[in-house]
């Protein structure tokens, strides 16, 4: 079916158009712009409305990509750009857009170079939206690499990373991964003698030597974005140093592209030699989980604790996807929805707590006693993060772990232990912030506004409803 313009193209275009509007907006001498923030928020909200509309148009329990759009780009060579979505990609897109709204709340008072922050953030959102709707290897690669440009610019301008060599290594790994992915894409294109849709990859039969090289290249390029050994060190060095909540959120979303890449590229029937390497990857993954969880428990930096939580869950989802179980895959989609929103909320309010601590010049032990609204939201998100039945994270993680324990009991136990440790670190931090015996009583504290508090209560409601029924907002689901 050949389309000239459709709804999937529109959700890529809306953030991009918002970026263009903010780019050409007039900037004052101090670097602030009156309408930039409002335009950015409006663009994201407009896309959320469109994504909800897409849910209404598709059969949510039908397998395979739907609402497919095809655009003929070139005749010789024959290159088509294909877009399509399923429940997994749509759930991830909806969660990312909600997380962006929460991230914008965290930087609403950041008036220094606000225009640049909004421009690059919206460009990243447009590129990652294209990535999740890409349905052919060519457009998949284009968006896979294109999102690195806004990320690099944001890290350079707002990352606040203490040592530049960490940023350089972080960028180097991602660029190398993108180049390796390009080589694999070219080989697949030549082998197919034309365009290849992602749905065809699962059933492709390749020459033994060629498949060994292609799958190895794809694995390395995707792993370069996931915080698993040996890539975890440079990712940790960058992410744990970021103090801008919006930049941390964008950097935290990037490994999701590697996880999603495994969903689209991993064949249903693995070559025997590839199965051996997956076993090694599983061992490395669970060891990295346990190692990062233990560091998060003993590290006093709240930012690192959140990073440790993010890392442990990303690796767990990666190991779940490597099982190639369709039921686990659907559970991961629903779990990711809550996971991204929870992490974004925790990061934004953790940043606000740290800012208030610096402003008041006090220790943060018991600091939440002064901020009842922040205390309610931060406590809810922490309890949801550690696995209480407050979001879809609870039930779907339970099902994921149950299947992984059934597949490999030793691997499952280590994963469960890592989750318990990283959850204990978050609970320990929450108890310290709420310690009534060390309560910081001050009249100078600035709690969040009533409007933001009401919005976050609505987000808590959304998370609760996702526990009751993941697709509660879809009529007839």
């Amino acid at each position: 079916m050949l389309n000239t313009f459709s709804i999937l193209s529109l959700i890529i275009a809306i953030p991009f158009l918002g970026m263009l509007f903010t780019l050409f907006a007039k900037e004052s001498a101090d670097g602030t712009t009156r309408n930039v923030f409002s335009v950015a928020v409006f663009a994201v909200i407009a896309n959320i409305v469109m994504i909800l509309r897409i849910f209404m148009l598709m059969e949510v329990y039908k397998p395979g990509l739907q609402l497919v759009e095809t655009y003929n780009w070139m005749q010789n060579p024959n290159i088509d750009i294909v877009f399509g979505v399923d429940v997994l990609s749509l759930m991830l897109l909806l969660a990312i857009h909600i997380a962006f709204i929460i991230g914008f709340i965290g930087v609403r008072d950041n008036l220094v170079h606000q225009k640049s922050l909004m421009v690059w953030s919206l460009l990243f959102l447009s590129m990652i939206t294209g990535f999740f709707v890409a349905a052919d290897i060519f457009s998949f690669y284009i968006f896979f690499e294109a999102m690195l440009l806004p990320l690099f610019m944001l890290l350079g301008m707002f990352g606040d990373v203490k040592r530049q060599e960490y940023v350089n290594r972080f960028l180097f790994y991602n660029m190398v991964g993108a180049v390796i992915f390009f080589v694999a894409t070219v080989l697949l294109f030549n082998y197919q003698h034309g365009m290849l849709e992602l749905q065809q990859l699962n059933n492709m039969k390749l020459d033994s030597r060629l498949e060994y090289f292609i799958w190895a290249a794809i694995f390395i390029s995707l792993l370069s974005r996931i915080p698993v050994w040996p890539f975890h060190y440079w990712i940790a060095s960058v992410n744990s140093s970021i103090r801008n909540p919006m930049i941390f959120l964008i950097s935290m979303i990037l490994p999701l592209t590697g996880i999603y890449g495994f969903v689209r590229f991993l064949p249903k029937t693995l070559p025997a030699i590839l199965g051996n390497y997956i076993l090694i990857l599983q061992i490395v993954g669970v060891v990295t989980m346990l190692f990062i969880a233990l560091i998060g428990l003993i590290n006093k930096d709240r930012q690192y604790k959140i990073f440790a939580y993010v890392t442990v869950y990303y690796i767990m989802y990666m190991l779940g996807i490597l099982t190639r179980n369709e039921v686990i895959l659907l559970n991961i989609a629903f779990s990711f929805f809550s996971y991204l929103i929870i992490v974004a909320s925790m990061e934004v309010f953790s940043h606000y707590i740290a800012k208030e601590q610096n402003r008041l010049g006090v220790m943060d032990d018991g600091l939440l006693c002064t901020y009842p609204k922040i205390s309610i939201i931060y406590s809810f998100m922490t309890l949801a993060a550690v696995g209480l039945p407050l979001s879809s994270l609870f039930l779907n993680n339970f099902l994921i772990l149950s299947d992984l324990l059934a597949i490999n009991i030793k691997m499952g136990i280590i994963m469960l232990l890592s989750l318990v440790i990283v959850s204990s670190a978050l609970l320990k931090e929450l108890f310290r912030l709420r310690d009534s015996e060390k309560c910081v009583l001050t009249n100078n504290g600035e709690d969040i506004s009533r409007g933001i508090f009401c919005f976050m209560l609505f987000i808590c409601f959304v998370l609760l409803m996702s526990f009751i029924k993941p697709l509660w907002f879809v009529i007839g689901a």
Side-chain angles (χ1 to χ4, degrees):
M1 179 178 180
L2 189 64
N3 299 298
T4 55
F5 194 76
S6 193
I7 195 167
L8 298 184
S9 306
L10 187 59
I11 62 172
I12 301 173
I14 289 176
F16 189 80
L17 293 174
M19 182 273 294
L20 292 178
F21 184 92
T22 57
L23 181 64
F24 293 106
K26 293 182 179 179
E27 193 172 22
S28 59
D30 60 356
T32 62
T33 309
R34 180 180 299 177
N35 296 322
V36 163
F37 182 80
S38 299
V39 170
V41 173
F42 176 80
V44 179
I45 293 176
N47 246 22
I48 291 175
V49 173
M50 297 301 297
I51 291 170
L52 293 175
R53 175 58 180 163
I54 294 172
F55 269 110
M56 303 299 175
L57 293 175
M58 63 184 295
E59 299 177 49
V60 292
Y61 293 114
K62 180 181 178 181
L65 297 178
Q66 301 181 49
L67 305 179
V68 176
E69 305 171 15
T70 303
Y71 304 91
N72 183 257
W73 188 12
M74 296 183 183
Q75 294 291 341
N76 189 21
N78 182 28
I79 297 179
D80 292 336
I81 299 297
V82 184
F83 296 148
V85 290
D86 57 10
V87 172
L88 172 65
S89 56
L90 266 189
M91 290 294 289
L92 295 178
L93 278 176
L94 182 59
I96 288 171
H97 280 75
I98 295 175
F100 257 69
I101 293 292
I102 297 171
F104 284 154
I105 292 175
V107 296
R108 69 193 185 283
D109 297 326
N110 182 13
L111 300 179
V112 179
H113 301 302
Q114 188 184 75
K115 175 180 175 179
S116 298
L117 179 61
M118 295 297 108
V119 165
W120 292 114
S121 297
L122 287 174
L123 181 59
F124 179 86
L125 182 61
S126 178
M127 295 300 101
I128 200 168
T129 300
F131 175 79
F132 283 115
V133 302
D136 67 278
I137 58 171
F138 193 74
S139 57
F140 190 91
Y141 170 75
I142 290 175
F143 289 112
F144 182 82
E145 188 167 8
M147 69 181 75
L148 294 179
L149 172 61
L151 174 67
F152 294 171
M153 296 301 298
L154 288 168
L155 282 176
M157 299 176 67
F158 305 98
D160 298 328
V161 181
K162 295 180 180 179
R163 298 183 63 179
Q164 185 62 34
E165 65 176 286
Y166 292 157
V167 178
N168 293 340
R169 293 292 182 93
F170 181 78
L171 303 184
F172 174 76
Y173 277 133
N174 279 282
M175 287 302 298
V176 169
V179 171
I180 294 175
F181 207 154
F182 176 74
V183 174
T185 300
V186 171
L187 289 175
L188 284 171
F189 183 88
N190 289 333
Y191 186 85
Q192 186 69 12
H193 304 294
M195 288 308 300
L196 180 66
E197 294 186 15
L198 296 181
Q199 294 185 104
Q200 299 174 261
L201 285 172
N202 292 334
N203 300 312
M204 276 194 66
K205 301 296 183 181
L206 303 176
D207 175 78
S208 58
R209 290 185 179 181
L210 182 62
E211 76 173 354
Y212 177 78
F213 181 84
I214 288 177
W215 295 127
I218 291 173
F219 264 55
I220 293 173
S221 59
L222 296 177
L223 283 175
S224 68
R225 295 196 174 182
I226 303 173
V228 65
W229 186 88
F231 305 105
H232 74 287
Y233 178 73
W234 304 112
I235 297 175
S237 301
V238 172
N239 287 12
S240 61
S241 302
I242 297 173
R243 292 297 179 260
N244 184 304
M246 192 68 213
I247 310 307
F248 178 85
L249 172 61
I250 290 175
S251 181
M252 180 270 294
I253 289 174
L254 189 68
L256 180 59
T257 61
I259 299 292
Y260 184 76
F262 277 116
V263 175
R264 294 303 180 212
F265 278 83
L266 197 64
K268 290 182 178 180
T269 303
L270 290 176
I273 193 162
L274 187 59
N276 296 332
Y277 282 102
I278 284 185
L279 177 61
I280 296 174
L281 179 57
Q282 290 173 333
I283 295 172
V284 171
V286 294
V287 171
T288 305
M289 286 178 70
L290 186 59
F291 177 74
I292 294 294
L294 289 171
I295 295 179
L297 182 64
I298 63 177
N299 197 307
K300 296 181 179 179
D301 184 21
R302 190 183 314 115
Q303 186 79 355
Y304 196 94
K305 293 181 184 296
I306 296 177
F307 167 77
Y309 174 83
V310 170
T311 299
V312 167
Y313 270 77
Y314 264 133
I315 297 177
M316 182 187 74
Y317 294 137
M318 179 191 73
L319 296 176
I321 288 170
L322 290 178
T323 64
R324 304 174 308 286
N325 185 312
E326 292 295 332
V327 177
I328 292 182
L329 188 60
L330 190 59
N331 292 141
I332 290 174
F334 294 142
S335 191
F336 253 125
F337 174 78
S338 296
Y339 163 80
L340 292 173
I341 295 173
I342 290 169
V343 170
S345 302
M346 291 182 63
E347 171 61 20
V348 166
F349 286 96
S350 175
H351 172 76
Y352 192 89
I353 293 169
K355 187 172 67 174
E356 285 297 290
Q357 176 194 355
N358 294 333
R359 187 178 67 84
L360 298 174
V362 298
M363 299 293 292
D364 59 0
D365 291 12
L367 190 62
L368 286 180
C369 298
T370 310
Y371 307 93
K373 296 176 184 176
I374 296 178
S375 180
I376 292 172
I377 302 300
Y378 190 82
S379 299
F380 179 93
M381 294 300 174
T382 301
L383 295 176
V386 301
L388 267 66
L390 299 174
S391 73
S392 58
L393 203 65
F394 166 76
L395 181 59
N396 289 285
N397 282 357
F398 175 81
L399 296 173
I400 294 168
L401 283 170
S402 298
D403 286 331
L404 290 174
L405 281 166
I407 294 171
N408 189 320
I409 185 68
K410 294 180 180 179
M411 179 181 71
I413 290 174
I414 297 176
M415 290 174 60
L416 186 59
L417 178 60
S418 302
L419 293 177
V420 170
I421 293 173
V422 80
S423 298
S424 300
L426 294 181
L427 284 176
K428 180 181 177 182
E429 186 69 13
L430 176 62
F431 293 152
R432 187 176 65 82
L433 291 171
R434 291 176 58 92
D435 190 348
S436 58
E437 296 181 358
K438 299 180 180 179
C439 185
V440 179
L441 296 176
T442 173
N443 295 325
N444 298 323
E446 296 181 4
D447 209 341
I448 56 175
S449 66
R450 182 180 299 178
I452 293 176
F453 180 63
C454 291
F455 173 76
M456 292 308 302
L457 285 180
F458 172 73
I459 295 298
C460 294
F461 169 77
V462 170
L463 291 175
L464 280 170
M465 290 300 294
S466 73
F467 166 68
I468 298 172
K469 188 178 181 180
L471 295 175
W472 60 274
F473 50 86
V474 180
I475 299 174

